[in-house]
Amino acid sequence: ICSIFGTFFVHTREGANQEELLKALRSGNMAASVLLVICVGFILPFMQFEAPMPIYIVIILGLVAGIIVGGATEYCTSGAYAPVQSIAKSAETGPATVLIRGLAVGMFSTIPPIVIVTLLIVISLSLAGVYGVAISAVGMLATLGITLATDAYGPVVDNAGGIAEMAELEPIVRDRTDALDALGNTTAATGKGFAITSAILTALALLVAFQKDVSGDDKSALVADIVDTSSTNMVMPGLLIGALAPYVFSGFTMLAVGKSAGSVIEEVRRQFRLGLIEGTDGIKPDYRACVDIVTKASLKEMIAPGVISISIPVVFGLLLGPQCLVGILTGGIISGALMAIMMSNAGGAWDNCKKFIEGGAYGGKNSECHKAAVVGDTVGDPFKDTSGPALNILIKLMSIVSLVMAPVLKDMYMS
């Protein structure tokens, strides 16, 4: 309801620039957030908490943390700000420097979300224990309706631009869809930032639930639990294995994109050799063949990442015990979260770097700078659309599988 209310505050003028478009979407999110704070303040006293005020504060902190993370993501991925513009500047010296600069921007972009989430975890634990961490994730996702709408808006506008180009509509139509598409890249990165930071909080709560189920201990101090388990020799190997998992997982997802793209290119070249470009009589584009290749590859190539997500907790939990599994989950959360933020933001920055140059900067479209930016965008697409978002699933799926296995591990190792 709050998100629906917020949509009425989203409006802008004809010919608006990127900053104005971002401000329009931001105003909708802020309106939804303010209404949420008011509604929670009225509802919470009726929910029979012994101390409702700490819960209320934690919810607000989660909401504020999400807004700050979204703002930091906007800064790192929007063409209106210095990071993306610096990548466009580096295109003057070729695609290699575009890739280097984009990776650096992605790495630096991990600082604000991690600092914010760290502070949120510490404060939530002090106010309401592990339950506070979980409920702060709820606060962060409370305005998910409008956040998810802005995330989905990006692909819609991207496809609209493709339709406008294929239909050979007036150039002004394509100019408008390009501007909205650039905004969509930023909002998509913001949505991924919300997803990643909330995944950290969710996985942390699941990790504590796993520790409690295995140990049978009802204490809620997360730090004490980790200190107790780290006294064994199995935690450090688990940390290394857990930190490795996101890299192996991302390697498979990146390869999946590369193989699929290669197959599509070969199919397109085959159709070109038949005389498609020359307009040979009877030769028409076979769209179905390309769609068939991509659909089959999307299913086939995801088998290995799916097996990895499920098998790592099962195999190492049974072989090396729950202490090792705690290390695996901890390492996976830390490594996966950082890698997911870096990939999502670097990909969005590369994409908007290309849009920024297409807007007329550094020679505009079809210039040497634009060609260099296209290389960065090509690398960034699997970063921001495949490997980065998929790491959220890896983090949460490993935690859920471990929680399901907790009773078995308790009988094997703790009895």
Side-chain angles (χ1 to χ4, degrees):
I1 294 173
C2 294
S3 295
I4 294 173
F5 175 79
T7 59
F8 292 102
F9 288 81
V10 179
H11 51 81
T12 187
R13 66 176 179 84
E14 181 72 25
N17 58 31
Q18 282 295 305
E19 290 186 27
E20 291 171 328
L21 292 173
L22 282 170
K23 184 178 178 181
L25 291 180
R26 199 181 299 126
S27 64
N29 191 24
M30 291 299 296
S33 300
V34 170
L35 181 61
L36 179 75
V37 170
I38 297 172
C39 292
V40 171
F42 278 109
I43 295 171
L44 206 58
F46 300 98
M47 297 188 68
Q48 299 180 347
F49 286 106
E50 291 183 4
M53 185 53 68
I55 304 299
Y56 183 58
I57 294 173
V58 165
I59 292 173
I60 295 176
L61 288 175
L63 187 63
V64 172
I67 293 172
I68 296 174
V69 168
T73 305
E74 285 180 10
Y75 177 76
C76 293
T77 59
S78 172
Y81 301 111
V84 170
Q85 293 175 7
S86 70
I87 300 174
K89 175 70 175 175
S90 69
E92 293 181 316
T93 50
T97 48
V98 169
L99 295 176
I100 293 169
R101 189 79 181 195
L103 285 172
V105 168
M107 291 174 183
F108 282 124
S109 72
T110 61
I111 297 173
I114 295 302
V115 171
I116 293 300
V117 170
T118 301
L119 292 174
L120 179 61
I121 290 172
V122 171
I123 297 173
S124 298
L125 284 172
S126 63
L127 289 175
V130 177
Y131 180 76
V133 175
I135 207 69
S136 67
V138 175
M140 184 177 291
L141 295 175
T143 56
L144 181 62
I146 194 166
T147 304
L148 197 59
T150 55
D151 189 10
Y153 146 89
V156 173
V157 176
D158 196 1
N159 287 340
I163 293 170
E165 187 169 356
M166 288 189 293
E168 299 180 356
L169 299 179
E170 294 82 358
I172 191 173
V173 178
R174 186 60 183 167
D175 291 341
R176 287 170 176 169
T177 57
D178 282 345
L180 295 174
D181 186 25
L183 177 65
N185 292 330
T186 302
T187 58
T190 303
K192 294 179 180 71
F194 270 91
I196 294 163
T197 48
S198 64
I200 297 172
L201 301 173
T202 304
L204 194 59
L206 291 171
L207 171 61
V208 176
F210 167 76
Q211 290 176 292
K212 289 182 179 179
D213 281 359
V214 171
S215 65
D217 195 347
D218 290 333
K219 61 186 177 181
S220 61
L222 175 62
V223 175
D225 289 346
I226 291 178
V227 170
D228 290 344
T229 57
S230 62
S231 62
T232 70
N233 295 325
M234 283 292 108
V235 172
M236 182 54 71
L239 286 170
L240 293 174
I241 295 168
L244 172 66
Y247 287 87
V248 178
F249 183 88
S250 297
F252 276 111
T253 55
M254 292 289 285
L255 281 176
V257 174
K259 290 178 182 178
S260 305
S263 299
V264 172
I265 291 171
E266 290 300 322
E267 172 60 25
V268 171
R269 286 174 177 171
R270 182 192 69 81
Q271 295 187 32
F272 283 174
R273 287 193 295 267
L274 296 177
L276 183 62
I277 295 180
E278 293 81 2
T280 304
D281 291 340
I283 302 299
K284 295 182 179 180
D286 186 1
Y287 303 113
R288 182 172 296 182
C290 294
V291 173
D292 187 57
I293 290 171
V294 174
T295 304
K296 288 181 179 177
S298 66
L299 297 174
K300 179 182 176 183
E301 298 295 339
M302 287 301 104
I303 294 174
V307 171
I308 289 172
S309 305
I310 296 172
S311 63
I312 286 179
V314 173
V315 172
F316 288 100
L318 294 175
L319 292 180
L320 300 180
Q323 288 83 8
C324 178
L325 191 48
V326 168
I328 289 173
L329 297 179
T330 306
I333 292 169
I334 296 170
S335 174
L338 289 168
M339 198 170 183
I341 295 170
M342 187 276 290
M343 284 184 152
S344 296
N345 290 348
W350 274 320
D351 200 342
N352 277 343
C353 165
K354 184 191 71 171
K355 297 290 184 188
F356 182 72
I357 293 176
E358 287 176 349
Y362 302 104
K365 203 166 187 177
N366 298 323
S367 65
E368 291 300 317
C369 289
H370 181 249
K371 293 175 183 178
V374 168
V375 174
D377 182 34
T378 304
V379 176
D381 278 342
F383 265 49
K384 68 183 177 65
D385 295 329
T386 305
S387 296
L391 286 170
N392 299 331
I393 301 170
L394 173 71
I395 294 171
K396 288 187 276 193
L397 187 57
M398 287 175 58
S399 301
I400 292 171
V401 171
S402 301
L403 187 59
V404 172
M405 288 183 57
V408 177
L409 296 178
K410 181 178 181 181
D411 291 338
M412 289 179 62
Y413 288 92
M414 308 301 289
S415 299

